[in-house]
């Protein structure tokens, strides 16, 4: 039976990427060896790393603009502290829009003073704060553009003189923005780019080298840049598969094209959530709704078992909401076809019709 994978992460990847990655594990490009058993210093793998790095910059429109792309390890969670280690001298600002922002704040507090410029914690993060003051003199301002757990997304990027640092784990390469307004972007691969095991960091080089403390080599962006993202053995399979996804994205027409498809998928589902009397969207203001993760609850809990059976029978996977929100979460990352969203919408309509 065909599966419709709405998993929040690790998540769906394009079928063609999966096939190429599987083939490369057995025999990479006919060389008689697997991609995971050759030296990361071999010309074959160096070409993979360089291609992945340059495709990442290309998709963001940042080629030749003073940025470097790195494929690191430790997940987005490692970036929570690595950002502060490398950039926080005295004071940084954080917008607290969810669990991941809160975790980033906790780690960064070990390195200096933090200003929480605004928070939506008062309403279990069901909205994006707006119209808040950003103090001057910040070493950087940190945002989480897409809040994977709660299903909110920042649509208007705040303006600030401070370097802008952004966790884009769950919406990287999903929409067109002027990415040159960001000074550092990081994203765990497993939400919209590849398998778990690598984290993309895109950093404007000029913001580095300005902190007083000494930084351990493995946590120092400049060390990784100096070694072309090969300071130590990189996670070769995760980087290779991410490169395949970035090539796939280019063949689709890039970020601008995928963004339109993502909008279509999101409106299809949100229209159903709004018009179906048996469900309620979790996010307070429709303007804050994520195109990647749609969160909603069922109005009559006693009907949950019936609904759960219906979507499972339809081949849908990964629809349960995060425990801190409950209900349902449909993650509609780049590789999820519109047809899968239609299957979910059909199930929701059938559920209402047979209520
Ligand atoms: C999943 C997620 C993380 C955590 O990523 P890890 O790679 O597991 O450390 C951080 N931020 C956001 C926005 C996420 O969605």
């Amino acid at each position: 039976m065909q599966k419709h994978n709405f998993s929040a992460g690790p998540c769906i990847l394009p079928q063609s990427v999966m096939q190429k990655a599987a083939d490369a594990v057995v025999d990479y490009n006919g060389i008689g060896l697997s991609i995971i058993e050759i030296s990361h210093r071999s010309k074959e793998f160096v070409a993979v790393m360089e291609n992945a790095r340059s495709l990442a910059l290309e998709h963001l429109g940042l080629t030749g603009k003073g940025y470097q792309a790195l494929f690191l390890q430790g997940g987005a969670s490692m970036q929570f502290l690595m950002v502060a280690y490398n950039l926080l001298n005295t004071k940084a600002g954080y917008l607290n829009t969810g669990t991941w922002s809160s975790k980033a704040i906790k780690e960064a507090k070990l390195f200096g003073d933090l200003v929480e410029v605004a928070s939506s914690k008062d309403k279990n993060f069901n909205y994006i704060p707006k119209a808040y003051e950003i103090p001057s003199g910040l070493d950087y301002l940190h945002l989480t553009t897409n809040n994977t757990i709660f299903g909110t997304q920042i649509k208007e990027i705040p303006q600030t003189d401070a370097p802008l640092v952004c966790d884009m784990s769950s919406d990287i390469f999903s929409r067109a923005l002027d990415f040159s307004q960001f000074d550092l972007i990081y994203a765990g691969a497993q939400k919209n780019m590849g398998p778990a095991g690598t984290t993309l960091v895109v950093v404007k080089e000029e913001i580095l080298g300005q902190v007083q403390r000494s930084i351990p080599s493995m946590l120092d962006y400049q060390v990784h840049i100096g070694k072309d993202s090969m300071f130590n053995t990189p996670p070769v399979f995760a980087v290779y598969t991410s490169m395949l996804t970035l090539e796939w994205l280019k063949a689709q027409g890039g970020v601008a094209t995928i963004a339109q498809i993502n909008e279509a998928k999101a409106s299809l589902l949100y229209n159903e959530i709004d018009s179906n009397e048996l469900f309620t969207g979790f996010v307070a203001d429709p303007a804050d709704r994520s195109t990647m993760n749609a969160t909603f609850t069922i109005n009559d809990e006693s009907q949950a078992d019936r609904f759960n059976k219906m979507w499972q029978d339809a081949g849908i996977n990964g629809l349960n909401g995060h425990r801190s929100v409950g209900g349902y979460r449909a993650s509609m990352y780049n590789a999820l076809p519109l047809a899968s969203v239609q299957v979910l919408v059909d199930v929701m309509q059938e559920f209402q019709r047979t209520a």
Side-chain angles (χ1 to χ4, degrees):
M1 173 181 209
Q2 199 202 329
K3 291 285 185 175
H4 304 282
N5 189 5
F6 288 85
S7 173
C11 78
I12 184 168
L13 292 175
Q15 204 52 49
S16 62
V17 166
M18 225 70 98
Q19 190 57 57
K20 281 184 195 160
D23 292 347
V25 167
V26 178
D27 182 355
Y28 178 64
N29 278 0
I31 64 172
L33 294 164
S34 167
I35 187 75
I36 59 173
E37 67 176 343
I38 57 174
S39 168
H40 59 289
R41 310 270 175 215
S42 65
K43 68 175 188 322
E44 286 86 1
F45 188 76
V46 169
V48 167
M49 178 60 98
E50 282 314 301
N51 191 24
R53 295 176 74 203
S54 86
L55 280 168
L57 293 180
E58 187 184 327
H59 280 307
L60 299 173
L62 295 176
T63 308
K65 293 187 177 166
Y67 289 80
Q68 291 278 348
L70 302 169
F71 285 86
L72 304 180
Q73 299 185 61
S77 299
M78 182 68 94
Q79 294 311 307
F80 297 162
L81 66 111
M82 207 163 152
V83 159
Y85 226 132
N86 284 263
L87 301 178
L88 179 47
N89 254 326
T90 51
K91 192 169 69 171
Y94 278 68
L95 182 64
N96 190 359
T97 51
T99 309
W100 298 117
S101 307
S102 302
K103 289 189 177 185
I105 289 168
K106 173 167 182 259
E107 298 305 309
K109 273 187 178 158
L110 299 170
F111 300 90
D113 288 340
L114 285 215
V115 185
E116 220 175 86
V117 295
S119 169
S120 47
K121 195 169 184 203
D122 58 334
K123 298 205 169 124
N124 197 24
F125 300 111
N126 76 350
Y127 70 104
I128 297 289
K130 294 169 196 98
Y132 46 85
E133 294 278 321
I134 300 171
S136 59
L138 297 176
D139 292 327
Y140 61 89
L141 176 68
H142 181 284
L143 311 172
T144 311
T145 36
N146 187 69
N147 299 283
T148 326
I149 292 174
F150 303 93
T152 60
Q153 188 174 33
I154 300 177
K155 303 291 165 76
E156 299 282 330
I157 307 296
Q159 302 297 306
T160 166
D161 295 338
L164 203 48
V165 173
C166 200
D167 177 357
M168 286 193 195
S169 292
S170 52
D171 65 350
I172 186 93
F173 305 125
S174 72
R175 59 172 171 168
L177 289 175
D178 172 10
F179 291 99
S180 69
Q181 66 193 303
F182 303 101
D183 297 273
L184 191 150
I185 296 166
Y186 62 91
Q190 71 276 13
K191 302 280 168 44
N192 213 15
M193 184 174 65
T198 192
T199 308
L200 173 65
V201 174
V202 172
V203 58
K204 196 170 197 178
E205 272 197 272
E206 67 182 31
I207 67 165
L208 299 174
Q210 296 179 27
V211 286
Q212 307 306 322
R213 70 178 66 85
S214 36
I215 305 173
S217 308
M218 268 299 279
L219 299 178
D220 187 338
Y221 294 123
Q222 286 182 310
V223 168
H224 289 281
I225 291 169
K227 298 292 182 186
D228 297 325
S229 202
M230 294 263 213
F231 171 66
N232 70 321
T233 317
V236 291
F237 180 73
V239 174
Y240 176 66
T241 310
S242 297
M243 182 208 81
L244 292 176
T245 312
L246 295 173
E247 284 182 334
W248 169 87
L249 179 59
K250 195 169 171 177
Q252 306 302 301
V255 167
T257 307
I258 212 83
Q260 290 176 3
I261 302 170
N262 289 335
E263 286 292 340
K265 291 186 294 188
S267 22
L268 179 62
L269 181 56
Y270 284 121
N271 283 342
E272 183 58 28
I273 292 170
D274 289 341
S275 60
N276 192 314
E277 288 155 12
L278 306 187
F279 298 102
T280 304
F282 172 75
V283 176
D285 181 351
D288 296 337
R289 284 169 160 178
S290 166
T291 52
M292 295 279 99
N293 315 93
T295 45
F296 56 99
T297 52
I298 193 162
N299 296 336
D300 179 0
E301 264 305 319
S302 74
Q303 290 287 310
D305 286 349
R306 193 171 74 85
F307 180 57
N308 294 342
K309 181 169 184 331
M310 285 178 70
W311 58 261
Q312 282 158 11
D313 286 351
I316 287 171
N317 171 67
L319 200 66
N320 286 322
H322 190 273
R323 61 189 177 280
S324 51
V325 176
Y328 301 96
R329 169 173 52 169
S331 298
M332 301 174 283
Y333 297 116
N334 284 355
L336 185 85
L338 182 67
S340 290
V341 181
Q342 188 63 57
V343 169
L344 173 57
V345 166
D346 290 347
V347 167
M348 291 167 78
Q349 288 178 353
E350 179 68 6
F351 178 60
Q352 182 179 33
R353 205 183 55 77
T354 52

